Amino acid sequence: RELNTAADRLATKLAGRGAGRETPVAVKLPRGPRYIVAMLAILKTGAMCVPLEPGMPPERVDSILRQSGATIVVDEQLLATRGDDDGGFRPADAAPEQAAYVIFTSGTTGEPKGVIGTHAAVGAYADDHLDHVLRPTAARLGRPLRIAHAWSFAFDAAWQPLVALLDGHGVHVVDEHTQTDAEALVHV
């Protein structure tokens, strides 16, 4: 409930800044729960999530923002601004073929290129992961799962651990330091 309320509050703020159907909205936050809130808020407005990582070189960030056309950026500054209450925010209806997110290739062969994931793709992935991984595992263990999110939000598989939230499981977002420390990661 807290997550949904926080996402609605931010979605209201984003919609007030013009976020709507397939509007590219970048996320430039440290790894943590607020990153997930931002991703969900973007989807709730019908916009397209453009995830960035804190350690990305400025040239890569500039390239991604330019190519995606993202002029709205969820960052510390935006989160600090006072906004309207969620006022009963109602999520946008997203068509299956509508863009949900865009991730960018590594750029090893030149400038990074964007790859769009649709709402249909995210939905199909979520359904498959729930049915074939999460629910059978939770049933076998007899309890909700606790899942560590340890890879980049700018990677398309970043949605995988987040699917657990749809089924009442817990997700722990591993911070930047722990993410790159194998020993510390084992103790999460």
Side-chain angles (χ1 to χ4, degrees), residues 131-143:
D131 292 343
H132 295 100
V133 178
L134 297 173
R135 288 179 181 147
T137 303
R140 192 172 61 246
L141 294 173
R143 64 170 174 77

Side-chain angles (χ1 to χ4, degrees), residues 84-139:
D84 296 333
D85 194 317
D86 66 9
F89 181 82
R90 297 172 66 102
D93 288 326
E97 68 279 0
Q98 184 177 324
Y101 67 90
V102 61
I103 53 111
F104 283 78
T105 62
S106 64
T108 54
T109 60
E111 189 169 37
K113 293 167 185 59
V115 179
I116 292 174
T118 63
H119 282 270
V122 172
Y125 178 80
D127 288 343
D128 185 72
H129 203 61
L130 286 167
D131 292 343
H132 295 100
V133 178
L134 297 173
R135 288 179 181 147
T137 303

